[in-house]
Each structure stands twice: as structure tokens, then as C-alpha cells.
Amino acid sequence: MTVAVSDYLREDKLPHLWCGGCSHGVVVGAVARALAALEIAPDQTVVTTGIGCFGKADDYIATHALHGTHGRALPFASGVKAAAPHLTVLALMGDGDAATIGGNHLIHAARRNLDITAIVSNNNNYGMTGGQCSATTPAGKRTSTSRYGSPEPDFDLCDLVIGSGGGFVARTTHYHVRAMEKLIAEAISYRGFSFVEVVACCPTYYGRYNREGDAASMVKLIKDRALSKDKYFKLAPDEREDFFPTGKLHVEEKADFTTRYLEVQKKAGGIKAESKEGSR
Amino acid sequence: MNKKEWQVILAGEGGQGLVFIGALLGEAAVADGKNAAQSASYTIASRGGFTKADVVISDDEISFPEVTEPDAVLALSAGSLARYADTIGPETVLIYDSALGEGPSGPNQFSVPLSEVVKEAAAEGRRAPLNLVGLGAVLGMIEMVNWDAFEKVLSAKFPAPEVVKANWDALMAGAELVKGLKRDS
Amino acid sequence: MQNNIKFLSGNEACAEGAFYAGALFYAGYPITPSSEIAQIASERLPAIGGTYVQMEDEIASMAAIIGASCCGVKSFTATSGPGFSLMQENLGVAVMGEVPCVVINVQRSGPSTGLATNPAQADIMQARWGTHGDHSMIALTPSSVQECYEMTIRAFDLSEKYRCPVLVLTDKTVAQMREKVVLYEPGERKLAERKKPSGPAEEYLPYRADDDGIPPMAAFGDKRLLRVTSSTHNEQGFTNDDPGNAYTLIRRLYDKIEDNVDDIAVFKTYLMDDADTAFIAFGITARAALNAVYKLREEGHKVGLIDMSTMWPFPDRKLKEAVSGCRALLVPEMNLGQLVREVNRICCDKEVYSYTKSDGKNIFPAEIIKAWRESL
């Protein structure tokens, strides 16, 4: 199969609706390049999304798509993957979808270990609705609903997913575009629940509220704070405050849901395990 | 057995297997070619709390599946005995476990040593479930379904022949207890 | 007993109906008094090559059956009151996205957590209007275990035919009582399947409806790319805020059901030919009403029963016709008066009496007879 990146993009829908300097288009590009690099047929791929700026991501990707309610991209994806394990399933979410209203689904998806790739473009606020705070808005940061600085601490999403049993957990940033593409490809190839957090920026709201400057200076700030996992963990704990680790933070081979469910089907006397894959 | 419809209440506490014997009675009735409906009322506790199973058996279609005029009530707990003792009519057969202590003694109200059968069986290393002994007593009093049907249904329900036998023996022992007692109708 | 004659509970019969209809996917969250359906699905589905997933809540359960159905797999879930409330969110996704699926709601006493082990019939308006926005809804209301079986099969048929979610509203009593059921032999009953698209893959538009108002549906994994969306969309399945497009879409989603009310909505009549009074009831209360009808007939009173087997879409025309010879109507129901609102709406020329009960207990035949004596 010869595939081009353009096979995965709906170029007729471009330009996209996101603001200048927004990270989301960069992430969609990396997803398309990763799928092309892996030569996974668009018609064997399903993208699920929720609500918010990044919930529009499916508009630009030329695969099957299920665009649903806020925070539910993962349970939609879970139904798809459990019913049709031969399909490649990606859930594309913002921090509102993945960490806030859908936080419960995130930890259970990681625990259940269906072979789904969850990609979170985390820009620390709700961009589409006017820059309100989310579960990844750091304490003290200003948003349209935390004018005096958020009183609540934020989630470290990668730690949350690792703690919930996620077998492939990686973090990258808007700046590290090549690494992003590679990590997404690896995450898709991983058999089991895989999670990639992209540290993203929203210059329109979060950047303005917190005086972080334009997109270029926000991306530079992100780049300066991002350390490779090795470098980060060599720092003494009290030196880590201004940084975050990137790269593959946790990789562990374990039986995914489909593998385990084939055992259930065998015990129940259902159709032979071998014949299931590709049967639908 | 020329009556067309029978209504039975099997009452006690959660965990006593009342829904099980209700379903067994209903299933046997269906196996016997009749119509049957079994419904239940219970609380959120799996063990304890008032529980009852209603069974309606009819040669015709059953319009309302719950018991409205019981022909028989089985009470396996003090609570259920107290609930029904004063509310049922004089023609309704009430069978209650004598282990529950003193209870009503109208012409159709019988204190029957159901628990004794359970204890005797245990002493001999057998198992006689109280619920089945109770159901056996009710059926011994009013034979609303052919006994053969129970044998059929029990055999279909339990793959192990020794379990079928234990249940069958318990039913028979219950029926034996009420031999000689007369329903005043 | 013949092999196809069983003594089953309503919940068991619903599960049997789903399997007969070809359901191969269940996602759910256990809740009394519906949990038997989840238990049976978890045991039986893997044995027939299907899948059971226990989700983290009912929001996720509803989402998962939608995802599975988009793969071309007939999917269902079951719940009760509090869980049905959570499902309203993604029930709307199934409406807007036109995803066939079946939801069985075993009504229990509410509001909120209410009385978990007691019956009620108070979710019928929630079933109709629970998810926000203009929409229609199909809801079937079985009153016997046999109907639990048959109506669950029919629910799948209707959901596939009309590309929409279909609700089966039972109640705690109907769901947990056991009765004789006659099951279909394999192949005995014809089943409906969703309309598949034809034509070149690149020209497929997931929301271009045929003349019947229903768009053919590709499946995830097909050559034709399927886009399913819960947002107001054009024929391609992309968000579109043109008012004309929005109205056309909402109208089509509504009309594809309401215009077919005669195909969808059926009810059963008992002794209605010469009846001057009709009882109108559903679920377990229809059984009590039938018993009351028989007793009153023995006394020579001309009463009949309409058992509302379909609650939604409401059969306005057919019901009006069925009661045309009656002077009075009595609507007994286990809520504070939900069905009677509909009866009043379409039968305002009759004397309409309401008998309501909302204490977690069933309505008994004697209560209906008393209500009838007091009303008339």
C-alpha cells in the first residue's frame, strides 16, 4: 500500500477553524503523518472526539469518525474497539474532555486496557467557550473563571494515567513536532491503552490571561520547561518545579482487553478465538 | 382439583430461598401444562428483611399475576407470620414453621415442624432445605400441580442427581408432615 | 415442557429477545431491578461470539453501545431510574447521530434513588422528553413476560428500520415476575436490518436520507467512510449552522418517526366492542385493569381495556378511534398522572378519570374497580 499524508487529511476542509498560534492543528498534522507512516488504511481507522476546540479535530481527518458529547470520546471509542477489535481507534481530546468532565472515563479506560490511543492536546483551559479553567489549569493561574488565580491544583495527566494502569504513557509538546509524530506512531502500535499528552498553548485565552505573550513566546516557554525524562529525573525534587518530563514516561507490556476477552469467549464456549479478528 | 386457579404466597426473609421455590412451583405448573405467574417482593438486603413470592397457577390465562385472594400462605419467619396471621381470610390455608413459636390456630392454620425435618436430615448427614420442606407441606395440603412435574423440573434444573434427590426428598418430607391434616373449606 | 416453552422473568425474556434479534454487544452498569439483564448478557454474549463490557457509569454505557452499533453490531443496554437519567445525555447522541440501539429501562420508584426494589411507572414522560432538544422517541411498554420477549425483538427491528434509539420501558414487577413464554425457533421470525448504502464509496454521504427520511448507514471499517456526529450537521456529517439546514435536519429526525406512527404504535384492546367505559393502562397496571375488566363484566358492566403497548410515539388517531364508542375513560397508572395527560389531550370530548398511585406498590384490581365505582 502506498499512502500519502494527504490520504488522512480532509484538505478540502482547510484552513481549519483554530486561532493563529493554536497547537491543535500541529497535533492533527502529527496524527495524520503517524497514521501514514504506519500505513494503516483510513477506512480501518476510527477517530472519536468530544466537545471543545480539539473536539473539532475529526473534521480534518479522513477516517471514520464519531463526534459526540463532551468528555465521552473514550467511552465511544471503547464501544468501537470492544465490538470491532480489528479497527485502529484513536480518541482525540482536549483537557476538558479528557481530564475534567471525562476524567472518570480516562482512568477507567486506562484500567480496562482496550487497545485505544488517547491523544490529549492540553492547553490548560477551555478555549472554545472563552478560556475557563479546567482540571489542568495550574494553581494560581488566571482564566475567565479564575480571575484571582485558580485555587485548585491541577492534574498531572501522565501520572494519573500511569496510576490507573495505562501501559504506554508519553508526553511531548507543541514545539517537539517530530517527537510528537514518532510518539503517536509508537502509541498507535502499542497493543493496549496508550496515552500521549501534548503540552499545548492557547494564546487567545490562557496566554493573554497569564501574560505569556504571543504564540511564539508561549511555545518557547513550553520548550524551556520541557526536559527529557532522563534529565528531569536527575534533578533534585526541589529543582523540578519549573520543568516537566517528556518522552516515553512509562511502557509496560500487558494483555489488553481484547486478548483477555478472547479467553472469556473461549471459557464461555463462544466462537474460536482465532476466527474473531477481522470477522466483522 | 377442579378449581381453575390457585394463589399461593410464600413468605419469610431474604436468603430463605422463597423466590426459588416460587419459581420452582411456577415452572412445574407450566411443565404440567398450566399457566403460571410468579412475582416477588423483597427489600435491598440480600439476607434478612421481609421477602415473599407470589404464585398464581391457572388453567386459563392469568390476567393479574399477583396474589389477591390467597388459597395458601407459607410463613417461614416470625415477621411474615405476624404479617399474614390476622390479614388472611378463614378459608386461606396458613402453614407456618412450628419453630417460630406459638402462632394462630384456626381451622385452616397449621403449625408444622418444618425445621425439625431440616435438623433430622442434618443429623443424618443429609441436606433438607427448609424452603423445599415448606413448599412440600403446602403441596401436601393442596395438590395444585402434579408431583411428576416437580421431578421433571428438578431434574432439568440440577445436573447432579444427588441434588435432585435431596430436593425431592425435602418436598416429600414436607408433604408427609401435613398428611392427616384436613383443610376446612 | 417443549424446548421453546420456558418459565422466565421479564428481564430474562428481554435478554432472550435481544439475543434472538441478533444483539452481539452489551455495555452497562448494574442497577436494581435491571441487573439480571447485565448478568445474563455477561454470561451469554461471549458464548455466541459477542461482547459484554461493564462500564464505569451509564453515561459511558450509552456511549459504548453507540460506538459498537456504528461498527454494524446490534447493541443494547439496560438500566433503571437513576441510570436512565444518566443515559439521557447520550440517548440524544443516538437520536441526532441516528445510531440504532436498544435501551431497556426497568422503572422503579423515584424520584432519584427512591425505592430501589419497588415498582413504578413514572418514567414515561422522561422517556419521551428526557434528552434535551426537539426530538421524537420510540418507547414500548410490555405488560407480560411474553411481551418483554417480543417487544425487545421489535425494539431492535424498529431501531434498525428507523435508525434511532428505541426504549423498552418495563417496570420492576413485569421485569422480575416469571411467566410462561413461548420463544421463537431460529429463523421463525423475520428480523429487520439497517439499510446499507450502495454506489461508489467516495460519493457516500452518511446523512443523505432516502425518500423515507432514513439515510442508509455504512459501518466503521467499511470502504465508505462513516461520520457520525451529535452536532447539527449537513449530509456529509459536518457541523453546519445554516438555519435552513438545521430545520430540515430536526424536522426529518422528528418526522421519520411521527409520520410512521401507524407502523410503530400498536396497542391491544380487550372487550372494547360494546364498551361504554375504557380503562387505558400499560405495563403491570394493564394486567390489574384487565382483571378488573373481567370482574366488572361478570357483574354485567360494559367495560373494556386498552393496553398501551407503545407509549411513544403516541397513537393519537388510533386511540381516538378505539374509544370512539365510549362515554368515559379511566386511566390507572403508577405515577401522579402522566399517561392521563396524553389521554386528556386527545380525548377531551370524553369524561376522563385518573387513578394514580405513587408509593412503590402496584395498583391492584380492586383499587381500579373502586376508582371506577367512585368516578362513574
Side-chain angles (χ1 to χ4, degrees):
Chain A
M1 190 169 88
T2 5
V3 289
V5 175
S6 59
D7 293 346
Y8 297 87
L9 288 172
R10 293 186 183 269
E11 290 179 324
D12 59 318
K13 303 298 282 185
L14 299 174
H16 58 61
L17 59 46
W18 295 309
C19 308
C22 171
S23 308
H24 296 335
V26 178
V27 183
V28 166
V31 168
R33 288 193 299 279
L35 285 168
L38 296 169
E39 298 193 355
I40 297 169
D43 63 15
Q44 294 303 299
T45 306
V46 180
V47 165
T48 68
T49 57
I51 296 297
C53 286
F54 202 48
K56 297 299 288 175
D58 62 281
D59 279 15
Y60 309 109
I61 300 175
T63 62
H64 297 281
L66 175 42
H67 169 73
T69 33
H70 192 28
R72 320 303 176 203
L74 277 170
F76 285 118
S78 301
V80 173
K81 187 69 191 186
H86 60 288
L87 298 177
T88 297
V89 183
L90 281 72
L92 306 184
M93 301 171 285
D95 43 299
D97 267 336
T100 317
I101 192 168
N104 195 35
H105 306 310
L106 178 65
I107 60 173
H108 285 281
R111 175 186 63 81
R112 192 172 289 120
N113 202 25
L114 270 154
D115 183 13
I116 293 166
T117 298
I119 298 166
V120 180
S121 189
N122 176 9
N123 61 14
N124 313 103
N125 77 151
Y126 295 160
M128 181 168 274
T129 52
Q132 296 85 1
C133 67
S134 83
T136 64
T137 303
K141 292 295 182 182
R142 279 187 289 274
T143 67
S144 66
T145 51
S146 60
R147 296 288 180 141
Y148 309 106
S150 171
E152 299 179 20
D154 57 332
F155 270 137
D156 178 317
L157 289 185
C158 289
D159 280 355
L160 181 67
V161 175
I162 293 167
S164 308
F168 183 105
V169 180
R171 182 186 282 122
T172 182
T173 83
H174 178 145
Y175 177 81
H176 301 86
V177 180
R178 290 287 158 216
M180 188 194 306
E181 179 186 323
K182 211 172 140 268
L183 284 172
I184 290 173
E186 271 191 71
I188 294 170
S189 303
Y190 175 82
R191 185 161 179 135
F193 184 77
S194 53
F195 181 82
V196 180
E197 178 190 2
V198 179
V199 179
C201 65
C202 175
T204 304
Y205 289 110
Y206 188 84
R208 278 197 298 139
Y209 276 116
N210 292 289
R211 305 211 163 96
E212 291 189 359
D214 63 4
S217 55
M218 284 188 86
V219 173
K220 185 168 184 307
L221 264 176
I222 289 171
K223 176 193 166 232
D224 292 345
R225 293 179 57 219
L227 293 182
S228 74
K229 177 186 162 190
D230 290 346
K231 273 191 195 157
Y232 178 85
F233 286 107
K234 273 181 196 145
L235 294 177
D238 61 339
E239 298 170 327
R240 291 177 186 171
E241 199 182 326
D242 294 332
F243 304 100
F244 57 80
T246 61
K248 279 182 276 181
L249 302 182
H250 180 76
V251 181
E252 177 191 354
E253 293 302 323
K254 53 169 106 179
D256 71 331
F257 178 91
T258 301
T259 306
R260 288 178 184 273
Y261 203 75
L262 286 174
E263 289 304 313
V264 170
Q265 287 177 322
K266 274 187 207 164
K267 279 186 194 161
I271 49 174
K272 282 198 187 76
E274 292 72 37
S275 69
K276 182 161 189 205
E277 204 133 327
S279 68
R280 295 207 182 98
Chain B
M1 283 224 343
N2 44 16
K3 190 171 181 288
K4 276 195 160 176
E5 184 172 291
W6 298 100
Q7 299 193 1
V8 182
I9 292 172
L10 308 161
E13 286 179 353
Q16 285 185 319
L18 296 153
V19 176
F20 175 82
I21 54 169
L24 179 70
L25 175 56
E27 197 167 349
V30 171
D32 202 14
K34 300 173 194 305
N35 277 307
Q38 174 263 313
S39 56
S41 171
Y42 58 95
T43 67
I44 50 170
S46 288
R47 297 289 177 267
F50 174 73
T51 298
K52 68 157 177 147
D54 281 16
V55 184
V56 180
I57 295 167
S58 177
D59 292 330
D60 291 335
E61 218 154 280
I62 295 167
S63 52
F64 188 57
E66 300 209 347
V67 170
T68 50
E69 292 155 2
D71 295 288
V73 174
L74 171 71
L76 293 185
S77 71
S80 60
L81 180 60
R83 183 183 287 236
Y84 289 106
D86 302 329
T87 54
I88 53 176
E91 62 292 334
T92 301
V93 171
L94 172 68
I95 292 173
Y96 60 96
D97 189 1
S98 56
L100 299 175
E102 207 151 305
S105 56
N108 272 328
Q109 300 176 324
F110 308 101
S111 170
V112 180
L114 306 171
S115 292
E116 289 302 311
V117 175
V118 178
K119 277 188 211 151
E120 280 166 25
E124 293 168 21
R126 290 180 294 114
R127 234 176 69 76
L130 179 69
N131 56 345
L132 280 132
V133 177
L135 178 63
V138 172
L139 294 167
M141 212 69 200
I142 308 173
E143 196 189 330
M144 54 196 99
V145 176
N146 275 312
W147 286 105
D148 298 354
F150 285 95
E151 218 167 0
K152 252 192 276 177
V153 169
L154 284 172
S155 306
K157 240 184 179 50
F158 300 107
E162 62 273 18
V163 178
V164 176
K165 187 175 183 314
N167 284 317
W168 175 255
D169 289 348
L171 276 177
M172 288 295 124
E176 192 66 30
L177 288 177
V178 297
K179 223 176 207 172
L181 298 180
K182 271 275 170 295
R183 185 179 180 213
D184 181 42
S185 50
Chain C
M1 243 189 298
Q2 277 173 279
N3 275 344
N4 62 334
I5 298 177
K6 307 271 183 203
F7 189 64
L8 299 180
S9 73
N11 279 337
E12 288 168 336
C14 284
E16 290 297 338
F19 302 145
Y20 189 87
L24 280 175
F25 188 88
Y26 182 103
Y29 188 92
I31 182 167
T32 303
S34 74
S35 297
E36 292 85 356
I37 301 176
Q39 288 160 207
I40 296 163
S42 76
E43 190 176 337
R44 293 275 295 279
L45 282 173
I48 53 174
T51 307
Y52 167 90
V53 190
Q54 189 156 312
M55 299 303 291
E56 50 274 21
D57 57 32
E58 289 86 349
I59 297 173
S61 305
M62 196 62 219
I65 66 166
I66 288 169
S69 180
C70 289
C71 302
V73 178
K74 287 184 182 176
S75 304
F76 73 120
T77 189
T79 190
S80 185
F84 192 50
S85 290
L86 286 186
M87 285 183 184
Q88 297 303 327
E89 175 189 296
N90 289 330
L91 199 55
V93 174
V95 169
M96 186 60 121
E98 297 184 77
V99 182
C101 56
V102 171
V103 177
I104 300 157
N105 174 35
V106 182
Q107 294 173 91
R108 70 185 219 189
S109 182
S112 192
T113 43
L115 294 161
T117 63
N118 287 18
Q121 299 181 306
D123 301 351
I124 56 174
M125 286 298 170
Q126 182 190 24
R128 176 63 187 83
W129 303 104
T131 195
H132 59 275
D134 275 322
H135 63 280
S136 185
M137 189 59 75
I138 302 178
L140 313 180
T141 45
S143 61
S144 69
V145 175
Q146 184 71 41
E147 284 188 352
C148 286
Y149 176 66
E150 285 172 13
M151 287 192 191
T152 304
I153 301 174
R154 185 156 189 266
F156 277 95
D157 281 353
L158 292 170
S159 77
E160 294 288 320
K161 182 174 177 184
Y162 292 104
R163 253 192 92 168
C164 62
V166 175
L167 309 175
V168 180
L169 298 178
T170 63
D171 55 69
K172 184 262 167 196
T173 305
V174 166
Q176 294 196 331
M177 71 183 183
R178 287 179 176 81
E179 289 186 303
K180 187 172 99 172
V181 190
V182 185
L183 304 180
Y184 292 113
E185 302 290 348
E188 183 183 343
R189 187 191 181 287
K190 203 173 167 300
L191 300 170
E193 305 294 335
R194 69 190 70 166
K195 220 167 25 172
K196 291 303 234 179
S198 54
E202 58 279 6
E203 285 173 22
Y204 172 61
L205 299 177
Y207 289 110
R208 171 165 290 176
D210 292 339
D211 289 343
D212 60 4
I214 300 146
M217 189 175 183
F220 290 162
D222 287 357
K223 283 276 164 239
R224 294 180 185 80
L225 292 183
L226 175 65
R227 283 185 57 80
V228 172
T229 175
S230 59
S231 296
T232 303
H233 50 272
N234 57 20
E235 290 183 334
Q236 288 81 12
F238 290 103
T239 304
N240 186 297
D241 59 6
D242 172 67
N245 176 75
Y247 180 72
T248 306
L249 172 65
I250 292 162
R251 197 73 238 182
R252 179 175 67 73
L253 294 179
Y254 186 84
D255 289 346
K256 73 175 179 179
I257 293 170
E258 295 292 331
D259 285 354
N260 289 300
V261 60
D262 286 350
D263 175 49
I264 299 165
V266 292
F267 50 76
K268 282 188 173 172
T269 58
Y270 296 87
L271 303 173
M272 282 298 294
D273 287 349
D274 62 343
D276 57 33
T277 302
F279 297 160
I280 302 177
F282 66 103
I284 186 62
T285 306
R287 301 289 294 272
L290 181 59
N291 189 282
V293 163
Y294 289 149
K295 285 183 174 143
L296 288 169
R297 282 274 172 179
E298 278 172 23
E299 295 175 18
H301 301 291
K302 290 186 173 171
V303 293
L305 168 69
I306 292 174
D307 178 353
M308 299 293 299
S309 313
T310 312
M311 190 56 62
W312 310 114
F314 203 77
D316 291 16
R317 190 187 58 77
K318 280 203 278 190
L319 184 66
K320 207 175 168 115
E321 213 172 272
V323 301
S324 59
C326 298
R327 180 175 58 87
L329 310 172
L330 173 65
V331 185
E333 52 188 322
M334 284 155 60
N335 59 56
L336 293 179
Q338 297 188 19
L339 173 58
V340 73
R341 296 169 76 100
E342 291 298 296
V343 174
N344 260 319
R345 180 174 61 79
I346 62 157
C347 305
C348 47
D349 56 328
K350 312 271 178 206
E351 294 168 36
V352 177
Y353 300 99
S354 169
Y355 179 72
T356 68
K357 187 170 178 179
S358 202
D359 61 358
K361 295 288 166 213
N362 287 328
I363 293 176
F364 275 69
E367 295 172 69
I368 297 175
I369 292 171
K370 188 163 171 266
W372 174 83
R373 289 194 209 284
E374 284 168 3
S375 306
L376 283 106

